[in-house]
Every structure is written in C-alpha cells, then in structure tokens.
Amino acid sequence: MYQFELEASEGAARAGTLTLPHGIVKTPCFMPVGTHGAVRGLHPDELERAGATIILGNTYHLHLRPGEDVVRSLGGLHRFTTWRRPILTDSGGFQVFSLAGLRRLDEEGVVFTSHIDGSTRLLTPERSMEIQAALGSDVTMAFDHLPPGQSSHEHAREAMERTLRWLERSRDRHAELVAETGVAQTLWPIVQGGVHDDLRRASLEGILARGDWTGIAVGGLSVGEPKPVMQRVLEGLEPHLPKDRPRYLMGVGFPDDLIAGIARGVDLFDCVAATRNGRHGSAWTADGKVQVRGSRLKLDDGPLDPDCDCETCTRFSRGYLRHLFVVEEQLGQRLVSIHNIRFLIRIAEQARERVISGGFTGWAAEWLARYHQ
Ligand SMILES: [Zn+2]
C-alpha cells in the first residue's frame, strides 16, 4: 500500500511514483494546503481539474475546529471533505510553535493556548498520532520540536535531539493505533537541525537508526533564512537520503523554490502561498509576478499567463480578472487561486517530464532565467 518507485533521475533531480491507500502520486509533486479541510475557496473538483493528486490537512486547525472526534464520527477526513485522493496531515507542531500561544515546552510535549477560544491544551507526540489517526490521512507526520529560524547551534541541537526522542514516541503510538483501529496510514519522520549541516546529518542518521520509513520529510526550512542557505542544507543532505524513499520539503512552494528543490532531490512540496497570493490578486506567471489589480491590465484581453492551461487562463481575460478584484467579487480570488495552484502543479509535471526524457537541467536554468528577468 506504500510504495515508491524511482523511475528516472538527472543529477539529484528525480521522477517517481508514490502509491498510497487513496491513490497514486507522480513525483515531483506540489501539494495544495487544505488548512481547515478545504483548500481556501476551492471546490474539490476544481482541485482535481487543476491536477492535484494529494492535498495537505492541518492537524492543529482540525483539532480545534471541528475537533478530530467530529471528523471521525463523520467518516474521517476523506468522507468529510469528499476529497477522494491521498491526504497528508502535518503533526500540528508547526502551528503550535508559530501560531498558538506557546505556554510551556518540556519533554512531555507542548502546552499552548488555542488561538480560537484561549483554552489551554496539551499536544504530545502520542496525542498528535491519535488526532491524525482519527482524521484518517494517508500520511501522518511525526511530532517535532521546531526551533525558531536560524537558531544557535546549541538551541537547534537541543530541538533536534528532542525531535528524535519524540519520533520514538510517535512511532510507537502510531504502530499501536494502526494495530488497534486498522487505519491505513503511514508515518514519516522529519529531519531537523536548523541551518547547521552537522546537525542535519545527525538528525538524518538518528531517523534512519529508528525505523524503516516509507518517506522522509525535511522541516524547519523557509522560516526566514536566506534562500542560498536552504539550498546549501538540501545539498548537504541529499547524498545521504535513501534513494528509494520519497523526500518531502515542508512548507516550501514558491515557483523558484520548486525548481531549486527538485534540482536538489526533493519529491514533494506544500505551501499556502498559492492560495494566499491568489486571494490578494498576486499571480505567478512564466514571466514573473503579475499584480491583477494593476491598472495596466484594465484593457488587457489576453490570459493571465499565455503559457498556462488552467481553467482561468483558458477562459478569462486579464481585464476581467482585474475588474473582479476592483469590485471585490470573490470569483476573482478563486480564479487567481486556481491559476496559482495549477501553475505550481504544472511546474512539477514539466520537471517530471524533463527528468524522464532528459534535459531537466537546461530546462530549469531557462525557466529560472525567464521567471527572474
Ligand atoms: Zn493559469
């Protein structure tokens, strides 16, 4: 039920097929983020037509509202949302460390204040596994300690070592839940270690010593460090990652980050930027960013991105999209979100084709040069 077949590679870039209980994911792949059980503003059919094969759900948000017991009693996240394809859930750790009021962190777990109603809650590796099992995602993420971006070596080491200890607890509770409930779900560990190459290596070695995983995630990047630093960390890790397992770079998903990540051996990405930017009228195109509100677009009859095959670009003009934003019509936000999501999915699809047919490296260089020109 959990298989990864590496089909082709060029340098570090890879093309593969990931088989999960709810379907097949061709990699490299961009995963849209369905924070509250919906990718903001979009219908599941629109996501499917944009080519999404797997989406992400946020454990923290779904735990607060509607609560995992509600989701479970309504048939799990797939039945609840009617999304039929694979779902990956995060562990809740990122939101606890970034969004919630962090009250106490110790070996047991994290005490935090809900950003919804101010209630005090405890999240531990075991609780995270229980919530994700109730949600019924295909892939669950281990509960990790995420230190602030660019933490000192000492602080990053402490968080990395705790993450390894928490991984053992996540692994053990996850195995119990699979045995007890029969949930079809796999668990992926998260490489931490901040911007410190030696800690990243130690984190990966610790992970590989603690299990035979069906996939491995890299967390704690794109949290404020310069892009060359993220790329250096990926380059340092790549030769040591198992070739026959998918690699997921968490929370990274701007167009140029996708290309740079794929070139450094990453298979899966997620990021809220596609829909967040879409709601603000900021569209990615092959020639860089377009501000849809801009008065330049008022009489523009052409598509948002002439090279794009999405439902927005094949039907609506720039002038119409601008009008929708000027009058604050919700359709505008939805249409630009659809475009941005399709834009990222298509980058991954095109990269995959190039890796298989040969010529990824040249294509990636041309793509980046045009995007940044
Ligand atoms: Zn488009």
Side-chain angles (χ1 to χ4, degrees), residues 304-305 308-314 338-340 342-343:
L304 198 46
D305 181 347
C308 181
D309 62 359
C310 84
E311 294 187 353
T312 301
C313 293
T314 52
I338 287 171
H339 164 75
N340 280 348
R342 176 64 193 149
F343 189 73

